[in-house]
Amino acid sequence: MRVTHLGVRHFRNLAALDLDIPPGGVVLVGDNGHGKTNLLEAIHYLVLFRSFRGAPDRDLVAFGSAGFHVAGAVENGSGSQRTVTAGFDARLAQKRVTVDAAPHARLSRAIGSLRAVLLSPDDRELVAGPPAVRRRFLDVLLALVEPGYLEALRQYRQALRQRNAALRRQRATAATVFEPVLGEAGSRITAARQRWVASVGDRFAAHVAALGERAPVELAYRGSTDVIDYAATRDRDLARGSTLEGPHRDDLALSLAGRPLATFGSSGQQRTGGTALRLLEAWALEEPVLLMDDAFAELDAERRGRLAELVEGQQRVLAVPTDADLPGGAGDLPRWRIEQGAVRAA
């Protein structure tokens, strides 16, 4: 999959942009604060229709503007094309998404029209960060590749909010109403996560080795394996005012030479593990667009070169402060320079 054209209006600090993106991708060069990450964010917005930085839509609107609009022309491997757009009206606090000009009131039906993966130094947090970071990694990926997963996740989160609200108010009878949906949707989520993690362990290890790590690694799902009986846990949950078991508490466990990578791995090993997870995501999404936000920073020369080789052949949008931040292998991509949100050929 690749993006052939990108149109942006009033998104963060970006100028009005209409960009034809080369098939192999492009290198975006510019000083920090001039809009490199904002441009990657605009492209990625068309994947999930929300900011990968967690910002609310109103914060994406350029200062003094009434809203923003992003449009992308997308081509898949068979050569078929589609146009994906997303707009946000700040006055009405309303978002509008279209695929081939057809509006989608339910975003779940439009999600995945563009597939892209972001790689950055922050990927170390996939290993060293809290479990919520790894759960989100699994949820985003499986929402794109597992039919029915996003709907199960929506049902589970809604039932969880409602049951927790009842538990906080010590309303045991009210809490029971939401337990059947919580159990059924939760079991579907857990089963999908377990199946996927079990199927990709060898590939994850291969990615880690390809990035230059010699110690053996393992990937495992840590969580409940059976359908949870929420009636049996209700008294305990009432005492705590919260649902204590379920996929919202599970984790993705990464180990290095038999020890937790988050605890015993060096910063470089943790970064390698996080990058390998992103490469695993790209494999699962079948050659998506790669958005690389200074992705070679903090890597030694060998690992920079290995990463460049692993992503070669896919469409890449590489954002770097200077040409010197690029490893060998990226030199054949066209250069664009971004200054104060405006893009021009370098």
Side-chain angles (χ1 to χ4, degrees), residues 109 122 206:
R109 296 180 179 176
D122 291 341

Side-chain angles (χ1 to χ4, degrees), residues 202-217 256 272-273 276 279 302-303 306 310:
D202 290 344
R203 188 168 290 274
F204 172 72
H207 284 315
V208 171
L211 287 167
E213 178 54 53
R214 296 174 177 82
V217 295
L256 180 74
T272 296
L279 294 175
E302 180 186 358
R303 298 195 188 208
R306 286 174 177 265
L310 288 169

Side-chain angles (χ1 to χ4, degrees), residues 57-59 61-62 65-68 87-95:
D57 287 334
R58 63 180 178 274
D59 289 352
V61 179
S65 298
F68 67 78
F88 177 71
D89 187 322
R91 292 167 295 189
L92 301 176
Q94 191 172 75
K95 178 156 40 190

Side-chain angles (χ1 to χ4, degrees), residues 84-104:
V84 186
T85 75
F88 177 71
D89 187 322
R91 292 167 295 189
L92 301 176
Q94 191 172 75
K95 178 156 40 190
R96 185 174 188 270
V97 170
T98 72
V99 178
D100 291 334
H104 284 263

Side-chain angles (χ1 to χ4, degrees), residues 285-298:
L285 296 180
E286 300 180 346
E287 297 193 356
V289 181
L290 297 181
L291 307 174
M292 305 184 71
D293 191 9
D294 209 7
F296 301 103
E298 303 172 13

